[in-house]
């Protein structure tokens, strides 16, 4: 049992209270959806662990969007999610996710939410908008750099993933060349991903090769992923079927389609949605080097999962 938890767990509690307070003040409604679900989204390389005849969720997305379609325009949820096979300094098979949705909004609106969430959380936990992570000072109330994915890959990896998408090369170069080159002294947003790299996102009206997706990095740490949500049920079904076929080709478990989700999707208004890794945000604010330092009772590598 780690004595560092005597410091980090109370600070983590402050962080959770801050996240809730910021979203509550902005008119969001906190919801709670099932952790065990019958039909996860078919996403290659993401492995929701089985739980009896169901699966542990990798994200609450498919259960939250129907609530927006039902008429709840601003919702959020903080809770456990699960991905088998992910274990390291920044990964744990069980992790805490904050996911929120804004109806009648776009992916830039939820970027505004993220900036406010981070400013408020830093003030609550650290007493200042300025934090230090791994020796670098970062002002979360300062300017954020925004880089289109195409520009980032041209600059740091030497090729264009919009004109010449290659899934394996994209993932490898993202991890080894692009993310490692992003600025560490200010928050950075990679925006407008190749359409093939955003299976639940709306495509840009002015360029359907590009999806309305961004990911936010602070101090080199990826902390948030967001979409302009796809609300075309027929297009989403086609994407799910393609992803299902890819999972089979990879030897992964392919899931049945969530028909309730697809039925609700056509009634969902244009929306922006985002998922924030609470554990990683805690690591950032507390200058922790490993996820084990800010999560009580992380399982040892190789156990449970």
């Amino acid at each position: 049992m780690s004595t560092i938890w005597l410091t980090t767990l109370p600070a983590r509690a402050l962080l959770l209270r801050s996240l809730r307070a910021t979203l509550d003040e902005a008119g969001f409604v906190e919801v709670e959806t099932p952790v065990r679900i019958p039909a996860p989204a078919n996403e290659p390389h993401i492995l929701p662990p089985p739980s009896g005849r169901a699966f542990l969720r990798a994200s609450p997305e498919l259960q939250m969007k129907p609530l927006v379609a039902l008429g709840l325009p601003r919702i959020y949820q903080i809770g456990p999610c699960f991905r088998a096979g992910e274990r390291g300094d920044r990964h744990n098979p069980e992790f805490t996710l904050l996911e929120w949705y804004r109806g009648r909004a776009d992916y830039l609106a939820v970027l505004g939410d993220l900036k406010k969430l981070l400013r408020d959380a830093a003030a609550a936990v650290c007493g200042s908008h300025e934090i230090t992570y791994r020796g670098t000072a970062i002002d979360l109330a300062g300017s954020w750099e925004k880089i289109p994915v195409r520009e980032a890959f041209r600059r740091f990896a030497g090729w264009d993933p919009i004109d010449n998408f290659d899934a394996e090369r994209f993932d490898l170069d993202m991890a080894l060349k692009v993310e490692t080159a992003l600025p560490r002294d200010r928050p950075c947003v990679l925006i407008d991903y190749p359409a093939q790299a955003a299976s639940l996102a709306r495509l840009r009206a002015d360029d359907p090769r590009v999806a309305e997706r961004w990911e936010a990095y602070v101090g080199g740490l990826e902390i948030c992923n967001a979409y302009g949500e796809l609300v075309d049920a027929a297009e989403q079904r086609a994407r799910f079927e393609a992803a299902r076929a890819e999972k089979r080709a990879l030897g992964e478990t392919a899931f049945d389609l969530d028909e309730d989700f697809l039925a609700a999707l056509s009634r969902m208004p244009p929306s922006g949605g985002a998922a924030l890794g609470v554990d990683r945000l805690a690591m950032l604010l507390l200058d922790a080097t490993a996820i084990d330092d800010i999560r009580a009772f992380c399982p040892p590598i190789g156990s449970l999962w």
Side-chain angles (χ1 to χ4, degrees):
M1 185 175 293
S2 175
T3 57
I4 197 173
W5 293 337
L6 295 174
T7 299
T8 59
L9 295 186
R12 182 188 175 100
L14 282 176
L15 168 60
L16 292 171
R17 286 199 292 273
S18 174
L19 295 173
R20 285 189 166 96
T22 299
L23 290 167
D24 290 345
E25 184 180 355
F28 285 80
V29 174
E30 184 172 9
V31 300
E32 186 175 359
T33 60
V35 173
R36 295 176 71 250
I37 59 176
N42 282 284
E43 298 178 272
H45 309 299
I46 293 180
L47 309 175
S51 176
R53 297 171 60 188
F55 295 88
L56 299 177
R57 67 186 184 188
S59 160
E61 182 168 2
L62 301 192
Q63 287 68 52
M64 291 183 71
K65 287 181 179 178
L67 298 178
V68 180
L70 192 65
L72 290 171
R74 296 184 185 183
I75 59 173
Y76 76 93
Q77 180 167 190
I78 301 175
C81 293
F82 306 83
R83 296 184 183 183
E86 298 193 6
R87 187 69 173 97
D89 287 346
R90 299 181 176 188
H91 297 86
N92 194 60
E94 179 179 348
F95 58 99
T96 303
L97 200 65
L98 162 61
E99 192 148 329
W100 75 96
Y101 292 90
R102 268 187 180 268
R104 307 291 178 190
D106 63 13
Y107 67 145
L108 297 180
V110 291
L111 178 55
D113 292 333
L114 175 66
K115 292 179 179 181
K116 179 89 165 60
L117 284 163
L118 264 57
R119 291 196 304 269
D120 290 353
V125 175
C126 306
S128 171
H129 297 149
E130 295 185 4
I131 64 170
T132 299
Y133 181 66
R134 303 206 174 176
T136 299
I138 307 166
D139 184 0
L140 295 177
S143 61
W144 288 47
E145 185 164 353
K146 190 186 297 181
I147 309 174
V149 168
R150 165 181 262 171
E151 178 185 326
F153 270 76
R154 284 174 171 172
R155 189 192 312 175
F156 304 128
W159 64 288
D160 186 335
I162 304 299
D163 286 339
N164 303 288
F165 186 74
D166 179 312
E168 184 174 351
R169 185 183 181 190
F170 181 82
D171 291 342
L172 189 64
D173 282 357
M174 175 66 82
L176 299 181
K177 297 180 180 180
V178 174
E179 291 182 341
T180 57
L182 297 178
R184 302 298 177 98
D185 61 346
R186 58 198 179 280
C188 179
V189 176
L190 287 181
I191 193 166
D192 295 339
Y193 276 62
Q196 300 92 329
S199 64
L200 285 94
R202 182 172 55 232
L203 302 184
R204 287 268 303 257
D206 59 342
D207 187 352
R209 299 173 303 165
V210 175
E212 294 185 355
R213 175 187 177 188
W214 55 257
E215 290 202 358
Y217 295 78
V218 183
L221 194 63
E222 177 198 340
I223 61 167
C224 191
N225 180 41
Y227 294 156
E229 303 296 342
L230 177 64
V231 294
D232 183 325
E235 173 63 20
Q236 187 64 80
R237 180 182 294 275
R239 294 192 196 179
F240 278 167
E241 291 286 9
R244 195 181 187 196
E246 185 178 353
K247 284 183 77 69
R248 287 198 186 101
L250 291 168
E252 299 175 0
T253 300
F255 310 114
D256 293 336
L257 301 193
D258 187 329
E259 295 294 343
D260 291 337
F261 167 75
L262 290 169
L265 197 61
S266 60
R267 303 190 301 272
M268 184 175 172
S271 304
L276 169 67
V278 173
D279 304 312
R280 289 194 179 183
L281 179 54
M283 288 177 62
L284 178 74
L285 297 179
L286 299 174
D287 196 14
T289 58
I291 197 170
D292 298 49
D293 293 339
I294 52 82
R295 278 191 68 90
F297 304 107
C298 280
I301 294 175
S303 72
L304 297 182
W305 308 99

